[in-house]
């Protein structure tokens, strides 16, 4: 397990997300990556297009934390992150960006 996803993408198949309002499990192709923007570090989580209600819940949350798994092995467990941005990637995937 890594202590920070770093700039190199980590790929998993299950993400367990806990937010200030809900807890969800999302399966499929999931990517977690550390990014640097304007001198600040962020964690970017890219999810396949989630269920519309799950997507709305994630877009409205104030904070979240997640665990990323691949083949049942824990790859990364995030600290509590403040939601900074949600957006759509060109392929329709939901991108959630947060900071510690």
């Amino acid at each position: 397990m890594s202590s920070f996803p770093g700039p190199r993408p980590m790929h998993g198949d299950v993400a367990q997300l806990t937010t200030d309002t809900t807890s969800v499990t999302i399966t499929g192709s999931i990517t977690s990556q550390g990014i640097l923007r304007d001198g600040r570090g962020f964690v970017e989580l890219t999810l396949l297009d989630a269920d519309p209600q799950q997507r709305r819940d994630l877009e409205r949350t104030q904070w979240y934390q997640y665990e990323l798994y691949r083949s049942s092995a824990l790859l990364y467990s995030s600290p509590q992150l403040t939601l900074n941005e949600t957006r759509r990637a060109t392929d329709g995937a939901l991108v959630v960006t947060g900071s510690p």
Side-chain angles (χ1 to χ4, degrees):
M1 179 175 70
S2 174
S3 60
F4 185 74
R8 187 175 208 185
M10 298 172 81
H11 301 282
D13 52 22
V14 174
Q16 298 263 25
L17 282 92
T18 302
T19 74
D20 53 334
T21 59
T22 190
S23 181
V24 297
T25 300
I26 296 177
T27 59
S29 178
I30 301 163
T31 304
S32 178
Q33 177 175 0
I35 59 170
L36 187 62
R37 186 183 309 143
D38 298 326
R40 291 185 56 205
F42 296 92
V43 176
E44 197 167 82
L45 181 64
T46 304
L47 308 161
L48 290 177
D49 190 11
D51 167 279
Q53 185 59 49
Q54 288 176 339
R55 179 178 44 81
R56 284 189 290 275
D57 289 345
L58 288 172
E59 289 173 339
R60 287 187 224 145
T61 192
Q62 294 182 22
W63 64 265
Y64 67 101
Q65 58 191 103
Y66 67 95
E67 293 180 338
L68 179 65
Y69 296 87
R70 182 174 52 225
S71 301
S72 300
L74 179 63
L75 296 177
Y76 177 67
S77 181
S78 78
Q80 184 170 310
L81 302 166
T82 301
L83 180 73
N84 295 95
E85 172 189 35
T86 58
R87 62 180 165 75
R88 290 286 177 187
T90 55
D91 64 358
L94 178 64
V95 180
V96 181
T97 304
S99 60

